[in-house]
Each structure stands twice: as C-alpha cells, then as structure tokens.
Amino acid sequence: MRRLPVASGLLLVTLLAAACTGAPPPEPAPDLVLVNARVWTGDAATPEAEALAVRDGRLVAVGRSADIAAMAGEATRRLNAGGRRVVPGFNDAHWHLPTSRTAELFDAGSEQEIVSRLQAFAATLGPDEWITGRGWGPSDFPNLAPHRRALDAAFPDRPVVLTDRDGHMVLVNGTALTRAGVTRDTADPPNGRIGRDAAGHLTGLLQEAASRLVRSTMPPVSAEQVYQSLREQMRKAASYGITSLQVASGSAASGVEFEAYERALREQAVDVRLRLAVPFRKEATAADLAGYVALRDSHAGQLVRFGIAKGLIDGTVDGYTAAMLEPYADRDDRGLPMFTDDELKLTVAAYDRAGLQVQLHAIGDRAIRMALDAYAHAAQVNGTSGRRHRIEHVEVPTLEDLPRFKALGVIASTQALFASPDAITMTSYVPKLGPDRASRSNAFRLFDEAGAVQAFGSDHPVFPMEVMRGIHAAVTRQLPDGTPAAGFYPEHRISVEAAVRHFTADAAYASFEEAEKGVLSVGHVADLVVLSDDIFTMPADRLHAVTAHTTLMGGRVTWQAPQ
Ligand SMILES: [Zn+2]
C-alpha cells in the first residue's frame, strides 16, 4: 500500500503539468484553406490579408499565405487564388424571385424588337400558354406611349401580358383584355388605372392595382415551376459572387413560393443565404402579426430567415405613380400614395410594436417623407429603438429629409443600377422629374455624406443582378459604353470601396446579420468571392466586365468559373 500514494502523486503531477505548462490539444485542421490571394477583408483592424482558413463554415484564421498553408492537414482542401482579389460575398439587399419563365424585354428599344423577342419566346411555349415578358419601358414606344396595337397585330388570338421594367405596369393585348372581361366600361379599381386613349378606347396599359384584373385570370404557376426557378436563380446568383439574397416580396411567406424555400432547405439545396419577407398590410390583424413573428422565430438558422415586412407606399416615376410633393414636370399629377398618412402611421406602429422590421417601397419625395414620419411616430408611441426600418429605392428624397435617416436609424435601401443613364432614364425618367429632382435622384453619395446606412441591391428582375454592373454604375454613373462622357450628375459618384461596403457589410447590417457576415474576419461565416480582376486598382470604366472566379458560401464552393 505504500507505493500507491507515490504512484498517485506522480499521476497528479503529470496532469498538473499538462494543464499548466503543456500545449493545448492541437486544433483540428481546417476544412479548407485559400492562399495566394489579395484579400480585402472589410475589417478595419486588418484590412488586407493573403490567405484564409475555414472550419465548419466559418473563418478560423486570416493572415499570411505561409502561416495559413502550414495549418492544412491531410484532409484539408487547398485553393490557390492565383494572386486574385478576394472580397466578402456579395449581399443583394433587394431582390425578387421570378416564379416562371418569361421573355426578356430589357433594353429592347422599339415595338418591333419587343414583338420579335416575343415571337422567339412564343415558339418555345405550348399553343395554349400565355405569352409573358418583362422589362419594357415607355421609351420602347412611339411618343413614350405604350400601346397594344403591335401586340394585337402579331398575336391576334393568344393572350400577351408584358410587365414593365419597374414591375408597376403591364401592357396586355386585346385577347388578354377579353379573357379578363375588361371593357371600356370597366371602372378603374382602387389604386389602379386602366389606360384609355382620347376616344376612351383601351390602350392595353394597366397600372398598379389594375394589372390584377388580368393577372388574376392567368393560369397559376405550379409549385414545381417555382422550385425550379429558385434553383436556377440561386445558381445564377452564385455565379455573380452573391452569397446572400434579401427577397423583398411579401409573397415569400406563403403559397408556392414559401413551399419552394422550404423544399430547398429540406433538400439541402440552398446555395445562397435567403432572407425572406412577410406582407405589410393595413388589414393585418393581431393574429397575422403573431404569425409573422412565429415565422421569424421558427426560421432563425443561417440559410433561410424571416423577420421583415415588405410594403409599398407608391409606384414609379415612369408610371407617374411615385408620390411627389410637387407635380411632375410634364403633367399636372402628383402620383398615387397607397396609404393615407394616418393609415401608414397606424400600420407601421402595429408592426413595430410586434417587433418586426419594416421595409417600405417609397420613390417620390412625398412617399419617402411619409415613411420617415411613420417610422418616427412608431418609435415615439412604442418607445422602440434599433428596429432598423428601411426605405426601399428612396429615389428622390428632399435634401431636408436626408439627415433624418441617420437620426432615426432608418436604412436607405438603394439599387446601384438605378443610377444608369440608360434610354429610359434619359428620355422618360429625367423629363418627368424635371432638372431639380433629377439632380438628386439615386444620388448615393448624398446618403453616405448624411451618415445613413446604405444597403445596395438590384431589384432583380427589374434590373439584372450582376453586382459588378451595379458597382460600375455607382462608381462611374455611366453606361458600359462610357456614355455620357462626363457622367450622369458625376458629383454623386462613390468609390469602389464604398460600393463594395454597401453590397457587403451594410447589406448585412440591414438584416441584423453584421456579426455573422459582411466582413472577412475570424468567427464570421466563410462567404467570399474571388474576382477576375483587382477592382480596387483597375480602371473604373471596365468594372462592369469583372466576373466571379470562385464563390464560397459557408466555405462551400457554390460557383467556379469554367477554366
Ligand atoms: Zn422590388
């Protein structure tokens, strides 16, 4: 028995030595290392690095290539960036899911071109399917007046429904009007306009709520169609370096769209993190609001989340439906607010009280002011703060309202490509606003200077979701062909770095996820994109042509450019 205490004592000494002076058990090797990169981390503490290590989807080291390479074990996947620029994965803060295939009419330029694109698309459809398209603008038509005559001539007995670029008007042909039972005696619905010429004949243009007269008679899309569209769109997004999408449609919370997100989650087919919205409605009951909060709480994972409510206060400048403080420059009309001031205040306060973040589409200076007033009112009556309510598009704010964004903690959710001086902007948008309002439209620099948090998005499919095209537009305020040479109100240009922050860290802040993503530092998720060129040193006029070489979401390769 004498030897036992000695043995126990030795054992104890050994254990103490291990605990006090010995090396800790070795860290498991990373799952992946990325070396030989020029990493822009977005983290002020260590802005540049050469390499990253990833374990369990998160960054475990950011530093020098030699040090990171030495961490790799047998099973570690090694990626070499070939000296390329790496930035945090892009986060599109305002995006919509197209639920079915449709003809692409973006940049068509004329009625004839629209018809020829539709004929090509119609050839891929069954004989009974409706012909749909999207992306047209008033400048595609003579005298900026969209009319169904060319559609009737080309498609005399098949229904045609064409959504405009902004998604607030449709142009339909005579067959679609007949199927929907819309005649010259049909009255305009609330919040909608049915287009008529001077003689009272239907032009085929249906604005805002009037589009539902036709949409409601179209055959519904199937759950399978929506799911396949979601899969295709996620693949596309990853190919542009996008790792997060914020879906700005209340329709995400129910029906076939909700089913598609749930199925993607179940089948582990989520290639891009998704943040989804619930509807913002004046009719919402306490039970509805409780349901939205329950949806947020049941979707608290990293891939599919809820927590925000999407609503619309007004329409668009091109449709004269954006709500303005003063009449349009070429028409005695101030647009069409969809709420009264009191309705909006009451509704925002109810959502705010329930703990929900709100995002309101507001384009005209009057609509933007209504949103700011409603957010200020909610904070006051509910005693809430830090809700990070947002205004979407926020295209034409008054200069007096700019400081209110920072003061109220309201996020400016802007769309980089909206600053494109394209044909619709120059021939429809600018003349309708007039020079004073046009000079402060989509002026991203003004929000930055006012200290607002500004999150960039695309508003896809209104505009393409290629992030680098958006960054090019915000930085140059020119088209890819270099016009106009002096830039469109060039005083509003922002730096590449500012544009990248708006598409990364600021977009993450806009969804309460800045502690998780938006910068490349240890502990954050390994969401990043290896770019074809160094966007911080190259000539700005080529930014639109930069492509994603490799995209990683949670350390998983979601896109690899073909060699
Ligand atoms: Zn939108």
Side-chain angles (χ1 to χ4, degrees), residues 2 34 44 187 254 256 263 285 306 398 414 478 508 528:
R2 282 183 51 108
L34 172 72
S254 59
V256 284
R263 181 174 161 194
T285 62
F306 278 92
T398 60
T414 52
Q478 289 173 320
L528 58 89

Side-chain angles (χ1 to χ4, degrees), residues 224-238:
E224 183 64 23
Q225 274 175 309
V226 178
Y227 182 66
Q228 293 308 332
S229 176
L230 172 63
R231 295 290 307 275
E232 185 186 332
Q233 296 296 332
M234 286 193 291
R235 280 191 290 270
K236 263 197 199 170

Side-chain angles (χ1 to χ4, degrees), residues 94-96 248 310 361 393 459-460 462:
H94 188 120
W95 186 91
H96 303 277
K310 165 72 189 300
H361 164 125
H393 315 311
D459 204 14
H460 174 269
V462 173

Side-chain angles (χ1 to χ4, degrees), residues 79-415:
L79 294 179
N80 187 319
R84 290 185 185 84
R85 177 55 76 184
V86 170
V87 298
F90 295 130
N91 183 337
D92 185 331
H94 188 120
W95 186 91
H96 303 277
L97 175 67
T99 49
S100 59
R101 289 179 61 231
T102 191
E104 179 56 70
L105 305 179
F106 192 73
D107 283 340
S110 69
E111 269 180 318
Q112 295 72 22
E113 175 63 17
I114 286 176
V115 166
S116 82
R117 290 191 195 183
L118 291 175
Q119 282 166 332
F121 177 67
T124 71
L125 300 176
D128 299 326
E129 287 185 75
W130 289 51
I131 300 166
T132 61
R134 80 160 296 145
W136 62 267
S139 60
D140 295 329
F141 296 87
N143 306 316
L144 303 176
H147 196 283
R148 64 188 163 96
R149 70 180 80 73
L151 304 177
D152 288 340
F155 306 100
D157 37 45
R158 289 186 68 176
V160 179
V161 180
L162 309 180
T163 306
D164 81 317
R165 190 178 71 170
D166 297 333
H168 289 252
M169 307 187 251
V170 295
L171 181 67
V172 305
N173 69 348
T175 305
L177 288 171
T178 306
R179 297 253 187 120
V182 179
T183 69
R184 52 182 296 166
D185 300 325
T186 307
D188 286 356
N191 298 323
R193 285 181 190 155
I194 299 172
R196 303 164 209 269
D197 65 16
H201 297 295
L202 300 178
T203 61
L205 186 67
L206 303 170
Q207 291 185 258
E208 304 296 340
S211 68
R212 270 179 240 138
L213 296 170
V214 167
R215 288 195 203 279
S216 61
T217 61
M218 294 175 69
V221 286
S222 70
E224 183 64 23
Q225 274 175 309
V226 178
Y227 182 66
Q228 293 308 332
S229 176
L230 172 63
R231 295 290 307 275
E232 185 186 332
Q233 296 296 332
M234 286 193 291
R235 280 191 290 270
K236 263 197 199 170
S239 79
Y240 301 133
I242 294 170
T243 52
S244 292
L245 291 169
Q246 301 182 39
V247 181
S249 315
S251 55
S254 59
V256 284
E257 204 177 323
F258 179 72
E259 283 171 35
Y261 299 120
E262 291 287 86
R263 181 174 161 194
L265 200 51
R266 235 180 9 251
E267 297 186 0
Q268 298 187 311
V270 180
D271 291 331
V272 181
R273 302 180 199 278
L274 299 162
R275 196 194 193 217
L276 309 175
V278 300
F280 176 87
R281 299 183 308 129
K282 45 192 156 197
E283 306 81 13
T285 62
D288 291 332
L289 294 176
Y292 300 154
V293 170
L295 205 49
R296 179 193 65 194
D297 295 344
S298 63
H299 290 73
Q302 285 187 12
L303 292 176
V304 176
R305 297 168 75 102
F306 278 92
I308 195 163
K310 165 72 189 300
L312 291 168
I313 305 185
D314 67 349
T316 66
V317 170
D318 289 314
Y320 296 106
T321 46
M324 293 292 178
L325 293 165
E326 300 297 330
Y328 284 92
D330 57 355
R331 191 193 274 199
D332 187 21
D333 190 335
R334 292 169 198 239
L336 202 64
M338 298 176 189
F339 289 79
T340 65
D341 293 279
D342 284 344
E343 281 172 345
L344 188 66
K345 281 181 182 165
L346 277 173
T347 312
V348 166
Y351 278 75
D352 179 275
R353 199 177 310 119
L356 290 160
Q357 189 186 14
V358 173
Q359 56 178 163
L360 294 170
H361 164 125
I363 284 179
D365 46 17
R366 167 151 164 66
I368 292 166
R369 184 165 294 171
M370 286 173 70
L372 290 167
D373 289 347
Y375 292 150
H377 172 261
Q380 193 191 8
V381 297
N382 295 335
T384 48
S385 64
R387 285 280 191 257
R388 302 188 190 179
H389 295 314
R390 306 171 28 162
I391 303 182
E392 309 300 306
H393 315 311
V394 58
E395 288 177 29
V396 196
T398 60
L399 298 179
E400 307 93 275
D401 279 338
L402 283 170
R404 300 179 70 195
F405 285 81
K406 183 179 181 191
L408 295 168
V410 171
I411 290 161
S413 170
T414 52
Q415 285 67 47

